[in-house]
């Protein structure tokens, strides 16, 4: 979008604009256009500059027959500087109208960028509401690594998966993990179908025209890649744990028999995870189980992970661990992915150890000695420095990430290690953190230990590290 003429600063940039502030169109403070991306090292266009979202109110209606989604997104945000315009990430769909603070706003689209120019500029610190009305057939996005995300049509409905950038296919927003927000997601679907999302089901009401509206709420901050909507025929089991936590499990009927035994262990896995990682960070839990042909991978969607077919126990443990590592403590950028996947993978090792299977030490040694026979790319790159965006979900991020954690455990011993794991989850609960914050945290927690070689060789170093 071109800048407004009076504020068009050319080379002089912001300075020229602020000098002619009083003359700026729209008055409230002028400013300039917020950045189109946050400069993430792997997904530079993801997210936007100049504002911080606190709440998304999504009102959606979906027709599985035609694959058509009608939506309204009401986004509450705070300007972090004076803004004459700002960007939202939104790919595909047709935008019917945009308002800011209730007044019609100009907008322009260019690829995944939806640029909004409010009739009145926004002043730094101001909280504002932007509403976007849209419709169309939401798209499936192919990631740099070839996997599918965004909006996936399923045998009986649809499934939204958002890691790393798929959520821009079904709602406009600040689609970078660093901007977490609360959500209200209402989905209207034909009678007989269920719409499942994150958090708690607030109501289920007839919507007229033979349709039902399911209204979901997530109060704890959520990164947009963890938002989901699953529409289809589901067998729903709503229960409560001994601690009073609501558990909502939605299973595709074709998966019910195969999934029953493992899903019945969810409360036990949650209990175990709390013993190891500290208090569960969200106010509900559960699972969404679709068919294996509906999605190619599981995803730790907040409070309610998605499984492609009946999950096995290690996958249930993995996605449960992500609720602490990824969902509550969220990476600052996609470079910090190993903080998600290393912890979730290490949780699988710990579970096996506690269940009387291989100890984590045995798993580590097996990987170190023979891992490359199973994972040809195990030593291809260090976990904290994936080669490119196509590599952020590859083996080294998971397995070498877990190996970093085990090297820390070898160095400090079990008691200090579990203190570090729980302390880390507590220190950044409901927030964001990066790799530097992690290494600093570990160093502070064990001031007498020397981690330099672990960081240099295991976290950032190329190739297979030497063991001391
Ligand atoms: N986070 C998922 C899991 O391990 C896997 C995954 C799916 C993923 N899509 C991704 C990881 C994109 C990184 C990037 O449970
Ligand atoms: Zn994972």
């Amino acid at each position: 979008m071109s800048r407004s003429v009076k504020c068009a600063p050319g080379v002089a940039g912001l300075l020229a604009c602020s000098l002619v502030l009083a003359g700026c169109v729209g008055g409230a403070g002028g400013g300039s256009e917020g950045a189109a991306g946050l400069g993430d090292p792997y997904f530079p266009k993801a997210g936007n500059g100049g504002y911080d979202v606190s709440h998304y109110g999504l009102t959606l209606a979906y027709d599985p027959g035609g694959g058509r989604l009608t939506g309204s997104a009401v986004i509450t945000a705070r300007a972090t500087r004076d803004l004459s315009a700002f960007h939202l990430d939104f790919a595909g769909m047709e935008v019917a109208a945009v308002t800011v603070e209730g007044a019609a706003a100009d907008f322009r689209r260019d690829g995944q960028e939806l640029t909004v120019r409010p009739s009145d500029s926004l002043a730094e610190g101001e909280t504002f509401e932007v509403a976007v009305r849209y419709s169309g057939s939401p798209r499936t996005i192919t990631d740099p690594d070839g996997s599918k995300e965004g909006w996936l049509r399923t045998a009986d409905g649809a499934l939204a998966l958002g890691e790393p950038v798929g959520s821009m296919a079904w709602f406009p927003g600040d689609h970078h993990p660093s901007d977490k927000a609360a959500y209200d997601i209402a989905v209207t679907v034909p009678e007989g179908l269920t719409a499942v999302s994150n958090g708690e089901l607030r109501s289920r009401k007839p919507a007229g025209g033979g349709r039902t509206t399911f209204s979901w709420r997530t109060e704890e901050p959520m990164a947009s890649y963890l938002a989901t909507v699953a529409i289809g025929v589901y067998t729903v089991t709503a229960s409560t744990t001994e601690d009073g936590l609501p558990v909502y499990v939605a299973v595709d009927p074709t998966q019910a028999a195969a999934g029953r035994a493992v899903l019945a262990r969810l409360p036990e896995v949650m209990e175990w995870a709390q013993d190891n990682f500290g208090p569960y960070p969200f106010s509900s839990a559960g699972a969404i189980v679709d068919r294996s042909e509906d999605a190619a991978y599981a995803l730790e969607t907040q409070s309610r992970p998605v499984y492609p077919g009946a999950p096995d126990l290690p996958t249930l443990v993995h996605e449960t661990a992500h609720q602490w590592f990824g969902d509550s403590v969220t990476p600052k950028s996609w470079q910090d992915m190993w903080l998600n996947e290393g912890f979730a993978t290490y949780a699988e090792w710990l579970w096996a150890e506690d269940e009387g299977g291989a100890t984590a030490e045995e798993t580590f040694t097996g990987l170190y000695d023979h891992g490359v026979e199973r994972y040809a790319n195990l030593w291809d790159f260090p976990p904290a420095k994936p080669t490119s965006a196509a590599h952020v979900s590859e083996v080294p991020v998971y397995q070498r990430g877990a190996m970093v954690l085990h090297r820390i455990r070898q160095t400090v011993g079990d008691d200090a290690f579990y203190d570090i794991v729980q302390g880390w989850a507590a220190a950044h609960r409901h927030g964001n953190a990066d790799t530097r914050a992690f290494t600093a945290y570990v160093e502070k927690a064990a001031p007498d230990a020397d981690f330099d070689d672990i960081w240099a060789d295991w976290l950032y170093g190329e190739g297979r590290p030497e063991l001391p």
Side-chain angles (χ1 to χ4, degrees), residues 163 298-300 318-319 322 325 337 340-342 344-345 348 398:
E163 189 179 30
L299 188 65
E300 63 268 27
H318 181 108
E319 305 309 331
H322 270 311
F325 308 107
M337 195 63 196
N340 290 9
E341 302 304 345
T345 302
E348 295 178 55
Y398 287 68

Side-chain angles (χ1 to χ4, degrees), residues 59-352:
T59 306
L60 311 173
Y62 188 62
D63 161 32
R68 206 180 153 73
L69 180 74
T70 306
S72 142
V74 178
I75 302 167
T76 309
R78 197 177 57 83
T80 53
R81 59 181 189 74
D82 293 349
L83 287 171
S84 60
F86 59 90
H87 287 242
L88 295 166
D89 300 316
F90 198 31
M93 306 294 284
E94 288 129 44
V95 174
V98 179
T99 62
V100 175
E101 290 295 274
D106 285 339
F107 64 91
R108 208 187 80 160
R109 305 197 68 188
D110 182 9
Q112 69 180 64
E113 300 298 327
L114 167 62
T115 311
V116 177
R117 181 172 295 276
S119 57
D120 285 331
S121 298
L122 300 162
E124 181 179 345
E126 183 180 346
T127 295
F128 63 98
E129 217 175 75
V130 49
V132 181
R133 283 200 297 114
Y134 56 96
S135 64
S137 294
R139 62 175 62 172
T140 301
I141 291 171
T142 303
D143 289 335
D145 72 357
S147 59
K148 305 282 186 199
E149 57 160 341
W151 194 265
L152 311 176
R153 291 185 72 172
T154 61
D156 52 3
L159 175 64
L161 296 178
E163 189 179 30
V165 292
S167 291
M168 65 183 174
W170 59 284
F171 66 97
D174 193 19
H175 290 306
H176 188 264
S178 58
D179 192 358
K180 296 167 77 167
Y183 285 70
D184 279 282
I185 301 179
V187 191
T188 300
V189 294
E191 233 167 76
L193 298 187
T194 300
V196 189
S197 185
N198 315 89
E200 295 86 61
L201 181 61
R202 306 278 296 187
S203 67
R204 177 205 166 119
K205 287 185 189 149
R211 300 180 309 160
T212 312
T213 301
F214 294 80
S215 300
W216 294 87
R217 172 167 293 174
T218 295
E219 282 178 10
E220 295 93 4
M222 176 161 79
S224 80
Y225 79 91
L226 297 168
T228 190
V229 166
I231 296 162
V233 177
Y234 291 105
T235 303
V236 171
T237 312
S239 60
T240 310
T241 65
E242 276 172 29
D243 308 333
L245 188 78
V247 180
Y248 186 103
V249 176
V251 182
D252 184 297
T254 65
Q255 306 302 309
R260 194 162 293 126
V262 166
L263 291 167
R265 299 186 69 176
L266 181 58
E268 178 198 342
V269 170
M270 301 257 311
E271 220 21 69
W272 173 86
Q274 297 204 67
D275 288 346
N276 286 282
F277 311 142
Y280 179 68
F282 304 119
S283 37
S284 61
I288 297 166
V289 181
D290 261 318
R291 306 181 195 187
S292 54
E293 62 266 30
D294 291 335
Y297 51 84
L299 188 65
E300 63 268 27
T301 41
Q302 188 157 309
S303 74
R304 198 146 295 118
V306 167
Y307 300 95
D312 56 23
L313 200 49
T315 307
L316 192 78
V317 168
H318 181 108
E319 305 309 331
T320 299
H322 270 311
Q323 301 306 308
W324 283 258
F325 308 107
D327 296 17
S328 172
V329 182
T330 304
K332 253 193 193 138
S333 89
W334 290 112
Q335 179 164 5
D336 306 311
M337 195 63 196
W338 80 276
L339 286 172
N340 290 9
E341 302 304 345
F343 269 102
T345 302
Y346 198 66
E348 295 178 55
W349 301 10
L350 289 175
W351 172 269

